[in-house]
Amino acid sequence: MQFILSGIAIGSIYGLIAMALAITFYVTRTINFAQGQLMMVTVMLTAMLSAAGTPVWLAMIIGLVSSCILGVLSYLIAIRPILQVNRFSFGWLVSTLGFAVILENGAALIWGPTSRSFPQMLISYRVPIGNAVLNGQQVLAIVVAIVLTIAFEVVRRRTFFGKLGMATAVDPDMAEAIGANTTVVAIVAFIVSALFAGIAGLLVGPTTFANPYLGSTFGTFGFIAMMIGGGTEKPVAAMFGGLILGVCAEGANALINSQASDWFPFLVLVIILIISPRGLFSSSSPLMRLRRPPAAKA
Amino acid sequence: MMSNETPILEVSNLSTGYGRFDVVRDVQLRVGTGEAVALLGPNGAGKTTVLNAIMGLVKVRKGQIFISGKNMAGLPAHRIARGHAAIAPEGRRLFLDQSVEDNLILGALHLRRDQDRVRKLLDSVYELFPVLRKYRDRQSTYLSGGEQQMVAIGRMLMADPEILLLDEPSVALSPVAVEIVVKALMELRRRGASLLLVEQRIDVAVRVCSRLYVMTHGEIVDEMTPEQVNQGGMSILNKYLG
């Protein structure tokens, strides 16, 4: 019970980062490998500003805004120029990794390579659930993940902008031809995804503290979560991938040994990708094929 | 031969293409206000490229494209789509995971702050294609080819543009569906719409349009009226179209 709840809590964080990756992929068909570093920037700035006496809420907002600005810059500097030359180029694989390296080393240069304290927020609260206990920060992570996932799906399906995003995702040229400025749509997608990553950072910061190398670990786990869930098809599937990953990682720690979470998620990823190459909740997954589709009209 | 009406669309010396090659060279064409003009030609003649260049989807390398006297060459597609031109592309290219009505409303993107106008346009599309009203909430992927073509034309009409661009609306449709599409295009003419129709089917072009351009190997090589086609021009057209 304890490892399942703890897994869901950390899985919510992985899920938020996975959704951040999936949102940008959904709209632009690119993966921003600097997503973890955007999360790190929020954590580092919040830690630095709050340590300097800035109210925590203000430090968090500045951290999130900075992450969003860097998210937009990552698109404008590392992705858009490549897509303008060739929309089907994979050059962004290298350029976003390069952007990530610059952010990580820049942060290490500015703040030093060691960990800094982060505001404790709700971590000292204890919330007993059955015979398990979560801290307040873990409960907050689960609640925030649920709220953001539902909000994202409501916006995507019910609002005009969401439908425009869906149209851009399916056929960017046709979206342009109906009057959508696809560059603006992509920029909004990068802002939203940076916001998701930044919020994930604020939720996990009290546990991990502020470290410039935080982004690599969480970025990798977010990517695994996206692939497990099938986030390349539906951003919300990435959240479910995160939850599965979190429970597997915590389960491995509890049932195998305390280092097992370092390798077990990769094993899970490989097995899932063998069974369902596009992720567990993708339309081609054996799991989803059990749902009978509506009959097509002749 | 050329219409004396005020041109809604005037393309002069248009050259464009992909990569290092010009697919279209020095194309000149003109569509008058309320006029329907066809662009006929075999596969690979460059007809779709001309439409895409007018719509801003392909970069213009040389020449000018005037819509109501304003030069559109070099403008991005999303700006041309703001009431100047709208396209029903080859293969329909609907947003298949969205409903019929969502596809139609997305067509009126630049009018979204004027909901009354959007509602009126939606009603006029449903009047033109009553079956779409019945299927308004159905996901577009579950429509037949003919119904999808109706949605594509409806989405184009929702933009309320100065010129309608249609790329082979009869392709891969059943004879019944082709007849519905042709009647809809004739109704649009009756309503005073200006349209440029790319077609391979001469019979469709002759029924809908008042002038026909013939295009081969990236160049416009002839211009005819439906009367000329009916009075023996068909053999010339067949020679061009292979």
Side-chain angles (χ1 to χ4, degrees), chain B residues 76-89:
Chain B
H78 67 265
R79 288 191 55 194
I80 296 170
R82 288 176 194 164
H84 299 297
I87 190 167

Side-chain angles (χ1 to χ4, degrees), chain A residues 160 163 171 176 179-180 297, chain B residues 78 93 98 102 109 135 147:
Chain A
F160 190 81
K163 288 169 183 174
D171 189 341
E176 274 274 336
K297 196 173 181 295
Chain B
H78 67 265
R93 291 172 71 172
Q98 303 201 42
D102 283 344
L109 184 60
Y135 295 151
E147 288 156 359

Side-chain angles (χ1 to χ4, degrees), chain B residues 166-207:
Chain B
L166 294 110
D167 197 353
E168 306 212 28
S170 68
V171 78
L173 297 188
S174 68
V176 175
V178 171
E179 193 54 32
I180 292 170
V181 168
V182 168
K183 282 189 174 156
L185 297 182
M186 289 162 81
E187 170 62 17
L188 290 176
R189 276 205 70 184
R190 198 190 60 75
R191 292 182 188 179
S194 313
L195 60 97
L196 178 60
L197 171 70
V198 160
E199 255 306 331
Q200 284 199 58
R201 286 186 55 164
I202 301 169
D203 60 321
V204 170
V206 163
R207 283 177 68 191

Side-chain angles (χ1 to χ4, degrees), chain A residues 160 163-164 166-167 170-171 173-181 294 296-298, chain B residues 55 57 77-78 81 89 93 95 97-98 102 106 109 112 135 138 142 144 147 155:
Chain A
F160 190 81
K163 288 169 183 174
L164 194 59
M166 286 168 74
V170 170
D171 189 341
D173 279 349
M174 197 59 227
E176 274 274 336
I178 61 164
N181 186 336
K297 196 173 181 295
Chain B
M55 198 63 232
L57 294 169
H78 67 265
R93 291 172 71 172
F95 306 121
D97 52 351
Q98 303 201 42
D102 283 344
L106 280 170
L109 184 60
R112 67 188 181 283
Y135 295 151
R138 182 173 288 194
Y142 298 121
S144 68
E147 288 156 359
R155 184 178 60 185

Side-chain angles (χ1 to χ4, degrees), chain B residues 3 5-9 31-37 162-164 185-186 188-196 208-210:
Chain B
S3 166
E5 293 168 273
T6 317
I8 199 89
L9 171 71
V31 179
T33 303
E35 192 185 19
V37 173
E162 291 172 284
I163 177 122
L164 306 170
L185 297 182
M186 289 162 81
L188 290 176
R189 276 205 70 184
R190 198 190 60 75
R191 292 182 188 179
S194 313
L195 60 97
L196 178 60
V208 174
C209 301
S210 56

Side-chain angles (χ1 to χ4, degrees), chain B:
Chain B
M1 179 79 77
M2 196 169 276
S3 166
N4 291 322
E5 293 168 273
T6 317
I8 199 89
L9 171 71
E10 188 155 23
V11 175
S12 60
N13 302 318
L14 174 69
S15 293
T16 184
Y18 309 95
R20 287 185 297 138
F21 303 103
D22 279 353
V23 175
V24 166
R25 289 177 299 279
D26 288 322
V27 163
Q28 309 233 33
L29 63 84
R30 185 173 184 269
V31 179
T33 303
E35 192 185 19
V37 173
L39 193 53
L40 295 167
N43 276 335
K47 310 181 296 294
T48 296
T49 306
V50 171
L51 283 200
N52 285 341
I54 295 168
M55 198 63 232
L57 294 169
V58 177
K59 209 170 179 179
V60 173
R61 291 179 179 174
K62 202 184 94 187
Q64 292 173 316
I65 297 166
F66 292 98
I67 297 178
S68 291
K70 290 179 208 133
N71 191 3
M72 298 287 150
L75 288 184
H78 67 265
R79 288 191 55 194
I80 296 170
R82 288 176 194 164
H84 299 297
I87 190 167
E90 188 180 6
R92 275 94 66 172
R93 291 172 71 172
L94 298 183
F95 306 121
L96 291 174
D97 52 351
Q98 303 201 42
S99 72
V100 166
E101 190 150 300
D102 283 344
N103 267 276
L104 295 175
I105 289 173
L106 280 170
L109 184 60
H110 73 106
L111 301 171
R112 67 188 181 283
R113 293 186 209 290
D114 188 352
Q115 282 304 307
D116 287 343
R117 196 165 159 205
V118 172
R119 188 49 53 189
K120 277 180 193 157
L121 286 163
L122 199 56
D123 285 341
S124 75
V125 171
Y126 287 146
E127 194 185 308
L128 191 67
F129 300 118
V131 70
L132 296 187
R133 190 189 293 275
K134 197 170 113 193
Y135 295 151
R136 64 203 298 172
D137 296 323
R138 182 173 288 194
Q139 206 175 322
S140 308
T141 195
Y142 298 121
L143 299 177
S144 68
E147 288 156 359
Q148 288 189 354
Q149 188 62 64
M150 292 177 213
V151 179
I153 294 172
R155 184 178 60 185
M156 172 187 69
L157 295 173
M158 288 296 291
D160 201 11
E162 291 172 284
I163 177 122
L164 306 170
L165 309 172
L166 294 110
D167 197 353
E168 306 212 28
S170 68
V171 78
L173 297 188
S174 68
V176 175
V178 171
E179 193 54 32
I180 292 170
V181 168
V182 168
K183 282 189 174 156
L185 297 182
M186 289 162 81
E187 170 62 17
L188 290 176
R189 276 205 70 184
R190 198 190 60 75
R191 292 182 188 179
S194 313
L195 60 97
L196 178 60
L197 171 70
V198 160
E199 255 306 331
Q200 284 199 58
R201 286 186 55 164
I202 301 169
D203 60 321
V204 170
V206 163
R207 283 177 68 191
V208 174
C209 301
S210 56
R211 276 191 305 122
L212 300 86
Y213 289 105
V214 185
M215 197 171 177
T216 60
H217 304 296
E219 291 170 1
I220 288 184
V221 292
D222 209 341
E223 186 184 342
M224 293 182 176
T225 62
E227 293 74 28
Q228 287 171 319
V229 174
N230 291 330
Q231 291 162 10
M234 187 66 95
S235 58
I236 302 169
L237 271 182
N238 280 329
K239 196 181 80 186
Y240 285 133
L241 302 184

